Amino acid sequence: MRYQRLSSGDQYRLIAVESGTAYDLTAVKPRLNGFGDLAATADIAGVSVDEIASDIAADAPTIARDSLADATLPLVPDEVWAAGVTYEISEEARESESGMPEMYLHAYEADRPEIFFKATPSRTVGPNEAIGIRADSTWDVPEPELGIVLYDGSIVGYTIGNDVSSREIEGENPLYLPQAKTYDRCCSIGPAIVSADSVTDPHELTMSMEISRDGELRYEGETSTGNMARTCDELAEFWQNHDTIPELGVLLTGTSLVPDDGFTLQPDDEVRITIDEIGELSNPVIEV
């Protein structure tokens, strides 16, 4: 099943989509207004999120699929973390920008992956909301990534993430990574969460990205999550090692597509990331 959220003022509705039909789960269970509520209910019952949703959908009214074009952030994660240097293209890009390139090769080949804090809820935006580029940076890029959704440490779904980053700040000094990665509107997630049971294989999904400026396509690229050097289970395990992770969290799995070195995001650009079986995440760009 695919899960999305619609908003009306300060009220939210959880929508489940199955076989082309969209069911308003909140209409049946008013306290069920987010994916976290559904995951918590499934955890208590000891069943999957899809089983709970299917039971509720049997009594739920349907809504027009067109209304999902206005879907908002599909979940509000307590924390967003990210993995780095999990694709060879990312390792090469970070070597080229850095004055200490050897450290990135070591991270790509090491047993321990790079995992870092990315965003709080207030820094995370949903589909069609503006992502931010820092006013003190002259080289900024989107980073399309498969996102793992975890509830109480277990993988319950997948989404699309955009790990917007300043390559200038990170390249100046690796110790500046938190400033390059974590700031206002630095992360977008959406447009949906697809349950873990509904994704055929998270390591064989086609991913693409397009960047448009003034109606002109400035970048396009395509890859596969099959090129990821780590598995989702491995990254999720390392995230939890010797740490208490939040009840509801998202772990981005690494940058799969990197624009050429001469490219930087500008205000009013439009970034579109597509992953098979999940959908398309689209965001305009503003300076923060």
Side-chain angles (χ1 to χ4, degrees), residues 147-168:
I148 308 171
V149 181
L150 291 96
Y151 181 83
D152 201 24
S154 297
I155 298 175
V156 293
Y158 298 93
T159 189
I160 301 172
N162 188 346
D163 170 20
V164 193
S165 305
S166 167
R167 292 187 66 182
E168 178 189 18

Side-chain angles (χ1 to χ4, degrees), residues 57-73:
D59 299 317
T62 60
I63 65 169
R65 286 289 302 273
D66 291 349
S67 63
L68 295 178
D70 298 322
T72 184
L73 189 67

Side-chain angles (χ1 to χ4, degrees), residues 42-190:
D43 185 64
I44 292 169
V47 298
S48 70
V49 292
D50 288 347
E51 289 179 81
I52 295 291
S54 293
D55 287 344
I56 298 171
D59 299 317
T62 60
I63 65 169
R65 286 289 302 273
D66 291 349
S67 63
L68 295 178
D70 298 322
T72 184
L73 189 67
L75 81 166
V76 181
D78 300 315
E79 296 174 0
V80 180
W81 287 63
V85 205
T86 57
Y87 290 81
E88 186 174 7
I89 190 172
S90 176
E91 180 262 321
E92 292 171 348
R94 291 172 77 176
E95 278 190 355
S96 70
E97 76 190 15
S98 176
M100 302 174 63
E102 66 281 354
M103 66 180 293
Y104 293 109
L105 179 60
H106 293 160
Y108 180 71
E109 296 179 342
D111 291 336
R112 180 189 297 274
E114 177 195 18
I115 295 179
F116 57 88
F117 179 77
K118 174 60 184 177
T120 57
S122 65
R123 296 179 174 92
T124 305
V125 302
N128 303 314
E129 293 185 89
I131 50 175
I133 53 174
R134 294 181 61 122
D136 61 351
S137 171
T138 61
W139 188 10
D140 305 278
V141 295
E143 298 190 358
E145 308 192 13
L146 175 68
I148 308 171
V149 181
L150 291 96
Y151 181 83
D152 201 24
S154 297
I155 298 175
V156 293
Y158 298 93
T159 189
I160 301 172
N162 188 346
D163 170 20
V164 193
S165 305
S166 167
R167 292 187 66 182
E168 178 189 18
I169 293 174
E170 181 182 359
E172 184 177 346
N173 190 318
L175 294 178
Y176 295 163
L177 180 68
Q179 297 173 74
K181 293 287 189 179
T182 306
Y183 55 88
D184 287 345
R185 297 178 176 271
C186 64
C187 179
S188 65
I189 289 174

Side-chain angles (χ1 to χ4, degrees), residues 3-8 10-16 22-35 37-38 52-53 56-57 59-63:
Y3 300 94
Q4 294 181 257
R5 264 198 332 162
L6 293 175
S7 65
S8 177
D10 59 353
Q11 302 296 314
Y12 292 92
R13 292 184 292 152
L14 180 63
I15 309 300
Y23 299 93
D24 186 344
L25 303 186
T26 307
V28 179
K29 299 291 185 182
R31 294 184 180 180
L32 197 68
N33 55 24
F35 185 80
D37 299 327
L38 182 68
I52 295 291
I56 298 171
D59 299 317
T62 60
I63 65 169

